[in-house]
Amino acid sequence: MTARHEADPLSHRSVLLDLAVELVVVRPDGRYIDGTFGRGGHSRLMLESLSGDGRLLGIDKDPEAIAVARALAEGDSRFSWFHGSFAEIDQAATVAGWDRVDGVLLDLGVSSPQLDDPERGFSFLRDGPLDMRMNPQQSPSAAEWLATAEEREIADVIWRYGEERFSRRIARQVVARRQEAPIQTTRELAALVSDAVPKKDKHKHPATRTFQAIRMHINRELEDLEQGLSAAAQRLSPGGRLVVISFHSLEDRLVKRFMRDLARGPKIPKGIPVTADQERSAFRLASKAIRASDEEVRDNVRARSAVMRVLERVYND
Ligand SMILES: C[S@@+](CC[C@H](N)C(=O)[O-])C[C@H]1O[C@@H](n2cnc3c(N)ncnc32)[C@H](O)[C@@H]1O
């Protein structure tokens, strides 16, 4: 971990910082999007790699991240910000007046400041309102959703996004409990899940999977990722790169398949005559999957599950 992060223990520790920036910034005078600005660890390093003509647009759903981005923009005219989802890359690029971009970086998931602030309700380790929204201006919060969703939907979400084998029991408990009183705090939900799970994993809090699943559902994380990947790839100039860092196997699977399919090129049914041009792919995988070094994992436990993948546009479609 660099001194940059040691200075403020609450600030987000940027995983695979230097390499990600090296891979995404293909030319110093290009146009770039950091789709997950966070506290700007990657953005600041990208700006250091850009010349006076380079431009960077930072996107985040979280108003607290955007407050940091706004301050950065005041001090650096090469940087601008967009409050919204990276699923809206098209809209953000249009607002910036950009047709094509030279690189897009996505460092997925929640940031350390989000996890560490009990008021945001992301963590079962800290008691606070059961919120979990990256953008608190959007509804519903986790508490609102748990108060109204059907038992079956709750079970499905916990199973699909948390791969929690006791999802049905947990959903049943949620519905039983809310008939007495609404579930409003992280501690209440963590205790309920802990009671509902009959077999506990030694190395994991019993609520880990459930919290992760509800967070992914509330923030539409996989839906946004799917849309964001397509929009980003379409916007890339030849030579431009999409760099994605995932922390969750469901995210990484989606990223891996998306990049692999684009790099393979169009699926043309057998027997249809095509020219070499029609068969070739407009994209290539610029690298194999990259994981954090042992040193980075020692310094930052979050890096252990990080996987970085890089797609490059070779030609225009
Ligand atoms: C892991 S942190 C990124 C940290 C950042 N790279 C840094 O160096 O500070 C993820 C950030 O992305 C934001 N985020 C997650 N999904 C998003 C989405 N679909 N659209 C926009 N922002 C998103 C979160 O609010 C959070 O601030």
Side-chain angles (χ1 to χ4, degrees):
M1 194 51 43
T2 57
R4 188 179 358 243
H5 298 109
E6 281 162 7
D8 177 5
L10 267 188
S11 79
H12 179 70
R13 299 178 143 210
S14 296
V15 177
L16 301 169
L17 183 71
D18 298 296
L19 186 56
V21 171
E22 211 174 285
L23 286 165
V24 78
V25 177
V26 289
R27 37 184 283 204
D29 60 349
R31 289 173 173 173
Y32 298 92
I33 295 181
D34 176 356
T36 48
F37 178 82
R39 288 300 180 270
H42 283 104
S43 278
R44 283 191 193 85
L45 208 60
M46 287 169 83
L47 287 165
E48 278 175 26
S49 312
L50 295 184
S51 69
D53 292 330
R55 294 288 179 271
L56 174 63
L57 174 65
I59 301 177
D60 207 293
K61 282 184 172 181
D62 189 333
E64 290 181 14
I66 289 301
V68 178
R70 195 177 279 139
L72 182 58
E74 276 164 19
D76 191 329
S77 59
R78 301 170 302 165
F79 179 75
S80 57
W81 53 269
F82 178 88
H83 184 206
S85 170
F86 56 64
E88 301 163 283
I89 275 182
D90 271 335
Q91 199 186 327
T94 305
V95 170
W98 299 353
D99 182 24
R100 293 293 184 139
V101 297
D102 297 289
V104 177
L105 175 69
L106 301 178
D107 175 20
L108 301 172
V110 278
S111 64
S112 306
Q114 287 169 332
L115 272 177
D116 293 342
D117 180 354
E119 289 304 308
R120 303 299 301 270
F122 283 105
S123 171
F124 47 78
L125 297 173
R126 293 170 181 79
D127 194 25
L130 190 57
D131 191 313
M132 298 199 200
R133 286 171 293 180
M134 288 179 187
N135 184 356
Q137 293 154 7
Q138 283 174 347
S139 289
S141 67
E144 286 162 351
W145 180 68
L146 284 178
T148 53
E150 284 186 16
E151 181 177 328
R152 195 188 167 141
E153 188 192 355
I154 298 173
D156 281 354
V157 163
I158 298 174
W159 169 249
R160 194 171 342 122
Y161 298 142
E163 293 168 327
E164 167 61 71
R165 61 192 168 121
F166 301 113
S167 56
R168 289 217 181 110
R169 283 176 190 243
I170 296 168
R172 205 176 311 135
Q173 282 302 315
V174 165
V175 170
R177 184 70 54 84
R178 77 187 184 193
Q179 275 156 5
E180 294 157 25
I183 305 161
Q184 286 176 323
T185 68
T186 50
R187 185 175 289 161
E188 280 169 341
L189 180 63
L192 179 152
V193 175
S194 197
D195 291 346
V197 169
K199 280 191 196 156
K200 310 232 183 335
D201 186 333
K202 266 192 198 154
H203 308 289
K204 243 185 198 170
H205 187 288
T208 309
R209 294 170 186 277
T210 299
F211 269 65
Q212 170 197 288
I214 296 176
R215 188 203 88 203
M216 289 178 79
H217 173 69
I218 289 295
N219 294 292
R220 298 176 39 85
E221 291 181 33
L222 293 185
E223 292 91 335
D224 278 12
L225 180 57
E226 222 169 334
Q227 283 178 30
L229 290 173
S230 304
Q234 289 318 310
R235 285 266 166 185
L236 286 179
S237 302
R241 286 180 176 169
L242 169 60
V243 174
V244 186
I245 306 171
S246 314
F247 294 87
H248 187 287
S249 56
L250 291 176
E251 286 167 350
D252 184 53
R253 205 176 304 157
L254 209 155
V255 175
K256 180 179 171 182
R257 287 189 184 151
F258 171 81
M259 292 189 174
R260 185 199 58 197
D261 289 351
L262 273 190
R264 271 188 191 156
K267 277 196 191 121
I268 298 168
K270 273 194 184 139
I272 304 239
V274 284
T275 63
D277 258 11
Q278 287 168 318
E279 212 174 23
R280 75 181 178 180
S281 168
F283 295 89
R284 73 175 188 101
L285 298 177
S287 138
K288 288 191 173 161
I290 300 166
R291 286 167 211 277
S293 65
D294 291 347
E295 196 193 346
E296 194 170 4
V297 172
R298 258 200 310 277
D299 284 341
N300 176 4
V301 76
R302 188 170 177 263
R304 197 188 314 142
S305 48
V307 184
M308 181 160 74
R309 298 188 185 271
V310 190
L311 181 76
E312 182 177 303
R313 181 184 276 281
V314 190
Y315 310 102
N316 276 325
D317 284 326

